Amino acid sequence: MAQLEQRIHALLDSDAAATLAGIRRGIEKESLRITTDGTLAQTPHPPALGSALTHPYITTDYSEALLEFITPPSTELHKPLEFLEQLHRYVYSHIGDEVLWVNSMPCMIRNDDDVPVAQYGSSNVGRMKSVYREGLGHRYGRKMQTIAGIHYNFSYPEEFWKLNQVLEGENGPLQDYISRRYFDLTRNFQRYSWLLVYLFGASPALCKSFLAGREHQLDTFDHTLFKPNATSLRMSDLGYQNNAQSSLAISYNNLDEYVATLTHAIKTPEPAYDKIGVKVGDDYRQLNANILQIENEYYSSIRPKRTINKGERPTTALQQRGVEYIEIRALDLNPFEPVGINQQEIRFLDLFATYCLLRESPQLEKCDLHASKENLRKVVYEGRNTATELCNWGKSVSLKDWASEKLTQMQPIAELFDRTHGGTNYSDALARQQEKVDNPDTTPSARILDKLESRQQSFFQFAMDQALAHRDHFLSRQRCDETNQRLEQLAEHSLTEQRHWEDAETQSFEDYLADYFRD
């Protein structure tokens, strides 16, 4: 705590507020395309949306039906949400009578084969993306890959880092300092991400079809699976946190260890995946039979990132140019918000990330990682029982007391951000989160279960109602002519760019993969 207070006071005394105005934010938001009867769309990615391979703002994630919206990074707080709004309006004007699902847990999907794997054309880069997804399907099941979320990309400006380096009396290259401090942030994020899951978790229930044929410990009513006090089943072992990766020990203690442990997983064979086969006949089933095919297969609630060049591995980019930004991946889609997230949540994420950066961040030992995972598991399944006991450095503390303590410690940071932007929006966003701690019924997860109970609805009926309401929201609003024209031009340009990549291809896919994975 002493270090947190010292750092905050030093920033306040140094008028760091001006440097915080340069924070860059971007959002990546996933949404399934569905039919009006609530099943997964089987249509290919619409050509009017451009090439999923080369379009900068509209692409696909795992499935051909899983759209991903990407906003360009901006220093203006309102821009990411405004751009997301425009992207949704544009997409709705080009998908006919299809609808965008607005919940993290998917629509009705009966079989794995009903999930079409995303296709990116015949270039080696495109083929690699598709084969990687085929591998994910073989390893974890296709249905598991249709879970959607929001990723929040966040970076501090160089002026902020320079000021901090001076205040801390640090010497040496600035980028080395930046990378080290981002890893401080990621370690604390793992310690305290349970708080985000409590405050913003919005997947306490799911469609029964998702777990058809699988054992589970969930309660059942009307084709719905749920837990009465659950917050985010997306973040449970039902979702991306798969057991196949549970033995991995990826280190977040520093950049070199992070790259080394990830690289080890990419190069280490896994017998279970070897049985699947890599290339069977002329068809690739996966990129390789190692623990991870590529870095992105490792699921983490936060990632240190660096913009990559075409064909470059993420770990190579990080090693050569250091950490550029962080990607927060612990966020459910909020079905009460048309674009899945609101400005208040964004402001709190700014505060939370900065809290994680400024407070002391010891190295993460195995026991710390275990405690963090156990805390997260408890909040995922029982979080709205705020008497639930969590582990804080070996001591037992109630969720309510610990959450209140964290929020209180963030108050000076909120004041710093309010000084940057004027007004009291950050302090107000913080106060709103305290209300959720004081009254669990105001959390998104509680509001969802309340809707199901009060309307005697299944999860599917609730989710479908929300999807149709949001569709009406986007279709009834004016599209910006300038943005619309720009997106039409980008769609056309991206299709042309994909064709150029394919026409220029001279290397065999086998040689391309060998080069990609070569040290």
Side-chain angles (χ1 to χ4, degrees):
M1 266 302 294
Q3 189 174 56
L4 175 66
E5 291 171 356
Q6 287 169 7
R7 282 175 165 164
I8 292 172
H9 285 310
L11 289 171
L12 287 166
D13 293 343
S14 304
D15 196 26
T19 68
L20 290 174
I23 285 176
R24 285 158 65 86
R25 305 164 184 82
I27 295 172
E28 300 168 31
K29 186 247 185 179
E30 300 156 350
S31 279
L32 289 167
R33 285 188 294 112
I34 63 167
T35 65
T36 49
D37 64 1
T39 57
L40 196 64
Q42 298 298 309
T43 50
H45 186 66
L49 303 185
S51 163
L53 179 66
T54 56
H55 198 295
Y57 307 131
I58 304 171
T59 182
T60 50
D61 192 83
Y62 175 78
S63 172
E64 195 74 348
L66 183 53
L67 283 173
E68 183 171 350
F69 303 89
I70 302 168
T71 73
S74 175
T75 58
E76 298 180 74
L77 265 165
H78 62 283
K79 282 288 179 68
L81 290 186
E82 283 182 3
F83 195 75
L84 263 185
E85 175 85 20
Q86 290 295 334
L87 285 178
H88 281 72
R89 293 181 198 177
Y90 178 82
V91 166
Y92 260 114
S93 68
H94 291 94
I95 59 172
D97 61 356
E98 290 178 353
V99 181
L100 298 180
W101 192 250
V102 297
N103 281 264
S104 280
M105 300 309 286
C107 57
M108 285 196 293
I109 305 173
R110 301 196 187 285
N111 304 302
D112 256 23
D113 291 344
D114 294 334
V115 181
V117 174
Q119 300 299 312
Y120 301 94
S122 60
S123 69
N124 285 330
V125 174
R127 284 190 68 190
M128 182 174 173
K129 287 170 75 75
S130 291
V131 171
Y132 165 61
R133 284 158 174 75
E134 290 285 357
L136 295 177
H138 285 297
R139 291 172 177 215
Y140 315 116
R142 291 187 183 184
K143 276 203 283 190
M144 301 301 291
Q145 307 302 316
T146 61
I147 300 171
I150 282 187
H151 301 163
Y152 185 62
N153 299 319
F154 179 94
S155 68
Y156 298 96
E158 192 171 291
E159 294 75 23
F160 174 81
W161 290 121
K162 286 178 178 175
L163 177 64
N164 275 268
Q165 191 177 28
V166 170
L167 291 174
E168 308 246 324
E170 293 272 356
N171 296 311
L174 179 63
Q175 183 56 59
D176 290 352
Y177 173 76
I178 292 172
S179 294
R180 180 166 65 77
R181 299 292 282 113
Y182 271 129
F183 271 92
D184 290 347
L185 190 165
T186 60
R187 288 196 301 279
N188 276 333
F189 185 94
Q190 295 199 27
R191 290 183 173 102
Y192 306 124
S193 61
W194 59 265
L195 180 57
L196 287 185
V197 170
Y198 172 80
L199 295 172
F200 301 112
S203 52
L206 59 144
C207 204
K208 202 172 183 180
S209 64
F210 185 73
L211 292 179
R214 288 179 57 192
E215 291 185 10
H216 60 80
Q217 304 296 317
L218 302 179
D219 298 346
T220 306
F221 79 90
D222 190 18
H223 300 291
T224 297
L225 302 177
F226 74 107
K227 275 288 185 185
N229 290 312
T231 55
S232 174
L233 294 175
R234 167 182 168 267
M235 293 294 290
S236 73
D237 49 9
L238 303 176
Y240 285 123
Q241 310 270 13
N242 55 71
N243 293 327
Q245 295 185 16
S246 58
S247 62
L248 280 178
I250 303 301
S251 172
Y252 285 83
N253 288 334
N254 57 61
L255 177 56
D256 288 341
E257 285 186 24
Y258 178 74
V259 168
T261 50
L262 260 184
T263 302
H264 174 74
I266 294 165
K267 291 180 176 294
T268 303
E270 167 56 51
Y273 299 153
D274 192 47
K275 290 178 182 175
I276 294 169
V278 175
K279 189 178 182 185
V280 180
D282 292 331
D283 296 326
Y284 276 87
R285 292 188 174 178
Q286 51 188 338
L287 293 174
N288 53 58
N290 298 331
I291 297 173
L292 300 177
Q293 297 172 89
I294 56 175
E295 293 92 333
N296 286 353
E297 186 170 343
Y298 178 63
Y299 180 78
S300 175
S301 57
I302 187 169
R303 283 179 183 166
K305 302 274 283 199
R306 164 63 66 172
T307 304
I308 61 172
N309 301 318
K310 182 185 173 185
E312 185 179 35
R313 286 166 57 180
T315 45
T316 304
L318 277 173
Q319 204 158 31
Q320 292 181 352
R321 301 189 295 283
V323 183
E324 180 185 6
Y325 64 98
I326 55 157
E327 179 187 42
I328 293 173
R329 301 164 53 81
L331 304 171
D332 287 352
L333 298 179
N334 183 342
F336 300 108
E337 296 292 335
V339 298
I341 186 172
N342 61 32
Q343 202 70 65
Q344 193 179 74
E345 186 171 351
I346 286 174
R347 288 194 175 95
F348 183 75
L349 291 171
D350 290 354
L351 296 179
F352 186 79
T354 305
Y355 174 79
C356 290
L357 175 75
L358 295 179
R359 75 156 293 147
E360 184 183 8
S361 182
Q363 304 282 282
L364 275 173
E365 307 297 340
K366 278 189 178 178
C367 59
D368 301 319
L369 281 170
H370 176 75
S372 295
K373 286 180 179 178
E374 183 60 15
N375 285 342
L376 186 64
R377 188 192 66 79
K378 286 182 176 180
V379 175
V380 158
Y381 285 108
E382 293 294 334
R384 273 179 294 99
N385 171 11
T386 56
T388 296
E389 297 282 316
L390 304 179
C391 177
N392 178 13
W393 300 101
K395 296 178 182 175
S396 191
V397 60
S398 74
L399 184 154
K400 183 173 184 176
D401 288 348
W402 202 11
S404 296
E405 176 191 288
K406 295 284 138 234
L407 296 176
T408 300
Q409 290 167 0
M410 291 179 204
Q411 187 57 53
I413 302 173
E415 291 166 10
L416 184 63
F417 272 92
D418 282 336
R419 190 181 294 187
T420 301
H421 296 282
T424 60
N425 285 326
Y426 277 88
S427 295
D428 294 345
L430 190 60
R432 177 71 187 93
Q433 306 322 311
Q434 184 62 55
E435 289 172 19
K436 292 181 189 173
V437 174
D438 295 337
N439 182 5
D441 288 345
T442 60
T443 59
S445 54
R447 290 173 63 200
I448 291 169
L449 288 182
D450 179 62
K451 293 285 187 191
L452 303 190
E453 188 175 344
S454 63
R455 296 176 184 172
Q456 289 294 296
Q457 272 189 325
S458 67
F459 165 75
F460 172 78
Q461 290 170 318
F462 161 78
M464 200 69 202
D465 285 352
Q466 293 300 115
L468 293 172
H470 292 337
R471 178 195 64 179
D472 293 346
H473 163 90
F474 292 119
L475 288 175
S476 66
R477 278 158 176 76
Q478 185 73 34
R479 282 182 288 141
C480 171
D481 289 340
E482 185 182 339
T483 304
N484 202 52
Q485 187 177 11
R486 182 180 170 212
L487 289 172
E488 285 177 350
Q489 290 170 346
L490 277 171
E492 197 173 316
H493 175 75
S494 67
L495 291 168
T496 302
E497 189 177 6
Q498 177 178 327
R499 285 193 294 270
H500 284 166
W501 287 17
E502 292 169 351
D503 293 343
E505 201 67 79
T506 57
Q507 193 178 26
S508 72
F509 187 55
E510 289 77 5
D511 289 346
Y512 175 81
L513 288 184
D515 285 349
Y516 183 87
F517 289 111
R518 189 170 287 124
D519 289 330

